Amino acid sequence: MKFFRSLAVVLVVLLACVSAFAQSSTTGQLVGTVTTGGNPLPGATVTVTSPSMQGSRTAVSDVNGNFSLAALPPGDYTVKIELSGLQTVNKTVHVGVSSTSRADADLKVSAVAEAITVTASAPAVLETTEVQANYQKKLVDQLPLSRTVTGIALLAPGVTANGPRAAVQISGSFANDNLINVDGSNVQENLRGQARPLFIEDAIQETTVMSAGVSAEYGRFTGGVINAITKSGGNEFSGSFRDSLDNPSWTSLNKWESDHNFPDKPDTLNNTYEATLGGRIIRDRLWFFGAGRYSKTSNSIGNFRAGGAEVFSDTINQRTEAKLTGQVTAKHSLQATYLRSPLKSTNNNQIGFAWEQAGLDPDIRQAEDFKSAHYNGILTNNLLIEGNWSNRRFTFIGFGGDNHDIYAGTPLIAYPSSASLRGVANAPYFCGDCDNEKRDNTLWTGKATYFLGTKALGTHNLVAGIENFKENRLANNYQSPTNLTVWTYAQAPTRNADGSVTYYLNSGSGDDIEYYPVEIPSIGSDLKTNSAFVNDKWDLNSHFSFNLGGRYDVTKAVDSAGNKTSDDSTFSPRIGAIYDVAGNGRIRINATYGKYVGRLAETVQGAGSNAGEPASYYYYYYGPTTSGSSAQIVKAAIDWLKANRFANGQPDKTTADVIKVGGFSTRLAGKLKSPGMREYTLGAGFQVGPNGYVRADYIDRDWNNYYVSTTNTTTGRVTEPRTGAIADLTLVGNTDLLDRKYKAVQMQAQYRFFQRLNLGGNYTYSTLKGNAEGEGTAGGPQSEGGWIFQYPEYQGFIQNRPYGYLSGDQRHKFRGWASMDFALGPVGRLNVSALERYDSGLPYSDVAAITSVRNPATGTASLGYRSTPATVTYYFSSRGAHRTDNITRTDLAINYTLPISRAELFIETEVFNLFNEQKVVLPDTTILTRNSGVSRRADGSLLCPNGTGAVAGAATGVTPGRCNNFNPFTDSPVLGTNYAKGDLYGQANGAASYQLARTYQLSVGIRF
């Protein structure tokens, strides 16, 4: 309670200053037009009430008959519209989060007091130029889908899971560049921009996804916006308890597993418990809401390398949420939320597989929470102010080893050419007790809304606000407790018959000891964006309305060493128009133009800093060749290092064979700018009967200010002052010489029959083309290199970075659902829901590394580089020349409820991929070149039969069956001579290649 008292004091002070801070991501708006006989009716009183709102709110229609009620808590509302001498109209309307709903009424002259009730209302999705979709808890609970924030968002048009690590992409965006809020708090982690699980599924009230045409009130993204809110309690007590059960054995073996005689999956039942409770402390004045979630799962993380025993990881996650909602006065309200999500896990390995138990971290933890506070106040009938503050904290605790003994605490990494035999041994990688990593953010925002009605220029909803967003990261990236690691490359370990492992350390083979001291501790990076925005929702008349807005963002940042990395400002206009064909809201045409500015990437802006990052000193091993256990290999390597390369009790940096020092060979090219995007949309919407709609939008997007790394003859060389090491200088900055373009038609429709049958769906046709991927699977956003940017004399050929279909390009996406309720009388009710999915295949290319060759056009004179790339990337096909299989999937849910007094028992069963379709989603894409050696098919025939392994223009190094190198600037490679496709190219090469097999899930519980 001390936390909530402190927040209340802060918010009262803000109220006194009037300069409140706000964010519209937690509320909605209700607008409407009151007429009589088709003519505008000023002076009508509009009163709204809802179980989601304390007390009531009123508005008065203006000279044009229009009214507006902003900052309404999302929920179902009763709208009463009245004027003395006229018939009173009552309507029921749902106001969605971040949405605008409409309630129009035509009041007729009445000789006696009477009222009519209208249950239908115009669909909110037609009311705005924003391309958006809203999903409420009831529908989410009925449909067979993930109840997470991003799982719900994936139901919307234009939203896919095609980013790195299946991350969410919205309307062609980089996966890191969306805006994701829960209860007004930004829940994205700092590096990859992905949503953290800071929610409890049963507490989510509704979610809105905005995929284009987004208002100037929202910034720091070039993709889309996902806003979710949780429940807030009410005058009546309500709650729930749910046990969600899953079991690996409830998922069928997929085709690869069946064809390769995989054993049955373990029969291990996992439970996830959720509970919610909300109600009143003081009726219409103070409400509470609380929720909890507990899960303990045991999952196989695979086998130790080369046939070792199966390894399991136990993970415990316990989330709790508390929320208070209160009215200070009838016109001023406050809300405060706190959610925490600590996690514990065993057998953690941050860099892939392990060879033995000693390579796994036995215990890691994460501490994670967010706090948010909201205020809104009605200063006059036409002036409203809102306020929001939120803070998210995310800390990694104990990731890595904690033994500082130079032998026992040093990890051994086996890294042979065969990727399937790479793994860690002797000790866990990283240091678990050197430092904890923190990734936090804080958001302050403020908004005022003014409603203005004029006879000549129509009605205006004017919004103005300010926003301050700050991200901080504090990390010292210790690679091990001893700062040492031992790497063996030449010979893969072997597993013995008794289960033990023999490791090999070879002299002069490239095996080495690597020393990673963090020489300059991090003081923490600090990325700030200060913003101001204005927006006018202008209803000129019954046919024309406009959205006129703009946003001004100022980004300032310092890296982990305190160096200024960004000081940039951008103005982003957001304008839109709606033409109501008949003037009755049933057919509308809309168009928008907007500019957007994304988040500054933490992973890129810190490229020039070595604070918190280890320097790298590599010492090739030249001691006796030996074999033995991991402990014996590590001891042999370190003893040789101590005898030959130590000075003053530590590795002698001046004798290192390879030196890489951060902030030395890579620097920023001036101040960075955040990536940007330009967008046009054109759409139309149609109301279908009283309970349905159809909407279609064309979206055209083009990005700019890409991150790029440049290394060429003009950047020159640099010398590291401490060691005298010389390197080519790489500059990281921005460029518009890359391309990323998205064009799409997004369509959505929904209709409800007789309050029993709900039909809905959406379809997206899109293309995503260019040559800028902009992010990787490991570190998130990254600067682009190669081609004309880095060593252009070796990489500046078109097939190094061709223009084509990017990895997230998905031509077709369809989601269609049907949900039907069946009343069973005294024995309850049944809901049967089906969700049909169709996803067309994703692109992949014939691409591999080839031995670098200098462009003959540059002549033979020295270019002055310290070193040049040994290999370069070459696309043997056009970018995105091939496609994975098209994926179809039918999911089914059957939900049964049995009322018992004021409560009801429920059972929810779900079947994903009901017909167990098996299509390849991750095919083998192996391309062999001269670097790959001699390779054969399963039948023994050569994959590169015409190759001799010769360097282009020479006869040296001839090896039959080894692909020939070629000059990428002058030659056209030939299949079977210069390159070859792997034996399984385009086919499945493992269990992960196939789509999810048939899977069952079950939930049981009670709610009231």
Side-chain angles (χ1 to χ4, degrees):
M1 293 302 292
K2 182 178 180 180
F3 163 71
F4 292 106
R5 288 197 302 269
S6 299
L7 285 179
V9 171
V10 171
L11 290 171
V12 168
V13 172
L14 291 175
L15 174 59
C17 297
V18 179
S19 180
F21 292 92
Q23 174 89 337
S24 59
S25 60
T26 62
T27 60
Q29 185 176 23
L30 178 66
V31 300
T33 301
V34 185
T35 58
T36 180
N39 298 312
L41 181 64
T45 300
V46 181
T47 305
V48 298
T49 57
S50 171
S52 300
M53 183 176 66
Q54 295 170 340
S56 62
R57 289 270 303 275
T58 61
V60 178
S61 60
D62 69 0
V63 66
N64 303 301
N66 297 322
F67 68 89
S68 175
L69 289 156
L72 295 177
D76 295 322
Y77 280 78
T78 298
V79 184
K80 183 179 181 181
I81 306 171
E82 57 187 339
L83 184 66
S84 177
L86 299 177
Q87 188 179 53
T88 298
V89 173
N90 294 310
K91 305 194 78 171
T92 58
V93 179
H94 179 81
V95 175
V97 59
S98 303
S99 301
T100 299
S101 299
R102 175 168 287 274
D104 296 334
D106 189 69
L107 275 57
K108 302 182 184 301
V109 177
S110 177
V112 296
E114 61 176 328
I116 62 171
T117 299
V118 181
T119 57
S121 61
V125 73
L126 304 182
E127 188 58 33
T128 177
T129 56
E130 292 179 331
V131 182
Q132 62 173 235
N134 176 266
Y135 301 107
Q136 300 168 42
K137 178 173 174 56
K138 181 179 179 181
L139 178 65
V140 171
D141 283 347
Q142 291 173 344
L143 293 181
L145 53 77
S146 167
R147 296 182 298 122
T148 66
V149 170
T150 52
I152 297 168
L154 286 168
L155 194 61
V159 183
T160 67
N162 297 337
R165 299 184 176 183
V168 168
Q169 290 183 309
I170 301 179
S171 295
S173 68
F174 301 108
N176 64 83
D177 211 12
N178 300 307
L179 180 64
I180 306 174
N181 297 322
V182 175
D183 284 338
S185 180
N186 183 277
V187 296
Q188 296 162 266
E189 61 88 22
N190 301 42
L191 295 187
R192 299 182 185 90
Q194 300 306 301
R196 296 296 305 159
L198 288 167
F199 52 81
I200 296 164
E201 289 90 332
D202 250 6
I204 297 175
Q205 179 176 321
E206 61 181 80
T207 302
T208 292
V209 182
M210 291 173 271
S211 55
V214 182
S215 162
E217 296 179 49
Y218 296 92
R220 306 188 317 278
F221 71 95
T222 64
V225 180
I226 302 173
N227 277 332
I229 61 163
T230 61
K231 299 176 182 178
S232 299
N235 283 326
E236 304 302 324
F237 292 96
S238 62
S240 64
F241 175 80
R242 175 192 294 264
D243 181 10
S244 299
L245 303 98
D246 66 82
N247 191 319
S249 68
W250 295 354
T251 297
S252 303
L253 296 179
N254 64 29
K255 189 175 185 303
W256 179 275
E257 293 167 332
S258 297
D259 291 347
H260 291 79
N261 299 315
F262 273 47
D264 291 337
K265 297 183 178 180
D267 185 4
T268 304
L269 190 64
N270 294 316
N271 300 81
T272 299
Y273 302 102
E274 298 174 64
T276 68
L277 179 64
R280 66 181 183 274
I281 299 174
I282 303 173
R283 181 178 292 274
D284 276 333
R285 293 298 299 272
L286 184 60
W287 295 346
F288 76 92
F289 177 78
R293 182 185 188 275
Y294 177 86
S295 65
K296 181 178 181 180
T297 57
S298 180
N299 294 314
S300 172
I301 59 173
N303 294 71
F304 287 125
R305 288 305 197 191
E310 188 170 19
V311 187
F312 289 85
S313 174
D314 294 327
T315 301
I316 297 175
N317 180 217
Q318 185 172 346
R319 307 176 200 171
T320 53
E321 178 184 359
K323 181 185 289 188
L324 288 177
T325 304
Q327 278 198 334
V328 180
T329 70
K331 293 187 177 182
H332 302 283
S333 62
L334 301 169
Q335 186 176 85
T337 304
Y338 175 68
L339 188 145
R340 65 188 297 268
S341 178
L343 179 142
K344 297 180 180 180
S345 186
T346 62
N347 287 339
N348 179 263
N349 185 6
Q350 287 288 294
I351 64 169
F353 284 89
W355 274 94
E356 59 190 17
Q357 188 69 38
L360 298 176
D361 189 341
D363 177 36
I364 60 100
R365 291 186 294 143
Q366 292 176 351
E368 193 167 12
D369 64 25
F370 80 74
K371 300 177 285 290
S372 65
H374 308 272
Y375 158 80
N376 71 66
I378 304 169
L379 302 187
T380 70
N381 282 341
N382 292 340
L383 178 60
L384 175 94
I385 58 174
E386 298 175 69
N388 175 70
W389 166 84
S390 68
N391 172 255
R392 179 190 58 77
R393 298 181 299 179
F394 184 22
T395 306
F396 295 85
I397 304 170
F399 277 69
D402 54 13
N403 190 333
H404 292 264
D405 179 83
I406 195 170
Y407 300 115
T410 297
L412 167 66
I413 302 90
Y415 209 81
S417 58
S418 174
S420 63
L421 296 177
R422 296 171 183 172
V424 185
N426 193 59
Y429 207 82
F430 297 119
C431 180
D433 64 354
C434 297
D435 207 352
N436 293 327
E437 180 176 351
K438 298 180 179 180
R439 304 177 186 176
D440 305 333
N441 70 46
T442 302
L443 173 68
W444 290 89
T445 55
K447 186 177 75 170
T449 303
Y450 186 70
F451 182 70
L452 174 66
T454 67
K455 188 66 176 177
L457 296 177
T459 301
H460 301 262
N461 272 285
L462 298 166
V463 174
I466 57 175
E467 180 178 84
N468 174 267
F469 180 71
K470 181 169 68 173
E471 288 185 289
N472 306 99
R473 179 181 181 232
L474 178 61
N476 289 302
N477 190 17
Y478 294 96
Q479 302 295 286
S480 78
T482 65
N483 289 333
L484 293 170
T485 58
V486 176
W487 294 71
T488 61
Y489 297 92
Q491 190 172 355
T494 56
R495 189 169 296 279
N496 306 312
D498 63 358
S500 63
V501 181
T502 298
Y503 304 87
Y504 304 92
L505 183 63
N506 291 277
S507 178
S509 64
D511 294 353
D512 68 358
I513 305 96
E514 300 179 7
Y515 179 45
Y516 292 114
V518 176
E519 298 176 327
I520 303 176
S522 171
I523 63 172
S525 62
D526 190 358
L527 285 64
K528 297 178 181 178
T529 302
N530 295 312
S531 309
F533 58 85
V534 294
N535 200 80
D536 180 12
K537 175 63 168 63
W538 174 23
D539 295 314
L540 179 62
N541 52 43
S542 61
H543 291 283
F544 288 98
S545 61
F546 304 93
N547 190 78
L548 306 176
R551 184 181 181 90
Y552 184 70
D553 295 291
V554 177
T555 300
K556 296 179 181 292
V558 297
D559 62 22
S560 55
N563 303 310
K564 292 183 178 180
T565 57
S566 181
D567 187 357
D568 182 42
S569 60
T570 307
F571 175 70
S572 305
R574 312 271 181 89
I575 58 177
I578 295 177
Y579 174 62
D580 191 323
V581 176
N584 58 8
R586 303 190 69 85
I587 303 176
R588 293 181 171 183
I589 300 171
N590 61 83
T592 71
Y593 167 77
K595 290 179 63 178
Y596 301 80
V597 179
R599 296 168 59 240
L600 188 66
E602 166 71 32
T603 51
V604 179
Q605 70 91 33
S609 169
N610 64 338
E613 292 298 321
S616 303
Y617 301 91
Y618 299 175
Y619 304 86
Y620 293 126
Y621 176 75
Y622 292 103
T625 295
T626 186
S627 62
S629 67
S630 60
Q632 290 170 330
I633 294 298
V634 168
K635 187 176 189 304
I638 293 178
D639 283 346
W640 174 85
L641 182 71
K642 291 170 70 175
N644 296 276
R645 301 289 186 90
F646 257 50
N648 300 318
Q650 63 180 5
D652 184 353
K653 300 174 185 177
T654 63
T655 64
D657 297 291
V658 178
I659 300 173
K660 298 179 181 178
V661 179
F664 150 56
S665 60
T666 300
R667 300 176 186 175
L668 295 187
K671 302 296 191 296
L672 278 178
K673 296 182 179 180
S674 300
M677 183 267 290
R678 181 273 315 152
E679 173 192 82
Y680 300 91
T681 74
L682 178 65
F686 309 87
Q687 185 172 347
V688 181
N691 298 313
Y693 70 88
V694 176
R695 175 168 175 163
D697 294 275
Y698 170 73
I699 301 167
D700 187 310
R701 289 181 156 190
D702 186 3
W703 279 258
N704 55 66
N705 282 338
Y706 305 93
Y707 299 125
V708 66
S709 295
T710 301
T711 309
N712 55 39
T713 56
T714 62
T715 59
R717 296 183 181 186
V718 288
T719 302
E720 210 286 314
R722 289 169 295 177
T723 63
I726 301 174
D728 299 314
L729 177 62
T730 296
L731 296 178
V732 176
N734 297 99
T735 186
D736 285 333
L737 296 178
L738 294 168
D739 284 295
R740 185 182 184 95
K741 302 178 188 298
Y742 176 80
K743 301 180 188 298
V745 176
Q746 297 180 8
M747 296 184 286
Q748 52 183 311
Q750 193 162 330
Y751 198 87
R752 188 168 187 86
F753 295 89
F754 314 115
Q755 302 301 310
R756 293 181 57 201
L757 174 62
N758 187 9
L759 300 177
N762 57 72
Y763 167 73
T764 303
Y765 174 87
S766 64
T767 61
L768 178 63
K769 301 182 73 175
N771 56 6
E773 293 287 358
E775 52 193 342
T777 57
Q782 62 189 20
S783 59
E784 304 278 10
W787 193 32
I788 60 175
F789 304 116
Q790 288 183 298
Y791 302 102
E793 300 83 2
Y794 295 85
Q795 301 188 106
F797 50 88
I798 192 64
Q799 289 305 105
N800 181 261
R801 185 176 290 277
Y803 182 94
Y805 294 110
L806 296 173
S807 60
D809 176 71
Q810 182 175 318
R811 192 70 68 251
H812 308 280
K813 176 198 172 188
F814 171 76
R815 296 293 183 271
W817 61 87
S819 181
M820 183 73 176
D821 292 321
F822 298 91
L824 303 180
V827 295
R829 65 181 183 273
L830 189 70
N831 175 272
V832 179
S833 298
L835 175 61
E836 185 67 22
R837 306 168 187 255
Y838 175 79
D839 296 283
S840 61
L842 299 178
Y844 62 97
S845 312
D846 300 341
V847 57
I850 64 171
T851 302
S852 66
V853 178
R854 181 171 168 177
N855 186 353
T858 62
T860 59
S862 173
L863 298 172
Y865 290 122
R866 173 66 173 177
S867 60
T868 56
T871 62
V872 296
T873 299
Y874 190 93
Y875 279 77
F876 292 90
S877 68
S878 58
R879 185 187 288 268
H882 311 292
R883 295 274 168 171
T884 62
D885 289 344
N886 299 328
I887 305 300
T888 57
R889 199 175 101 183
T890 302
D891 301 336
L892 179 68
I894 300 175
N895 305 300
Y896 171 72
T897 57
L898 175 65
I900 302 176
S901 186
R902 291 187 62 246
E904 62 180 21
L905 299 174
F906 66 86
I907 301 175
E908 299 177 0
T909 60
E910 297 174 314
V911 186
F912 302 105
N913 196 1
L914 177 66
F915 301 110
N916 202 26
E917 302 199 43
Q918 293 290 289
K919 294 296 181 67
V920 175
V921 295
L922 293 174
D924 184 280
T925 59
T926 301
I927 294 293
L928 306 170
T929 66
R930 184 178 185 273
N931 297 22
S932 308
V934 177
S935 297
R936 299 178 182 272
R937 297 183 179 87
D939 62 6
S941 60
L942 292 170
L943 284 165
C944 210
N946 301 320
T948 63
V951 178
T956 58
V958 174
T959 304
R962 186 176 183 182
C963 300
N964 292 356
N965 200 35
F966 61 97
N967 191 319
F969 293 93
T970 60
D971 301 335
S972 297
V974 177
L975 181 66
T977 299
N978 303 109
Y979 73 103
K981 297 184 178 182
D983 198 18
L984 294 176
Y985 188 86
Q987 305 174 48
N989 63 359
S993 291
Y994 286 95
Q995 69 182 104
L996 176 72
R998 183 189 295 117
T999 299
Y1000 297 90
Q1001 287 185 359
L1002 173 68
S1003 295
V1004 296
I1006 185 171
R1007 51 185 169 232
F1008 63 92

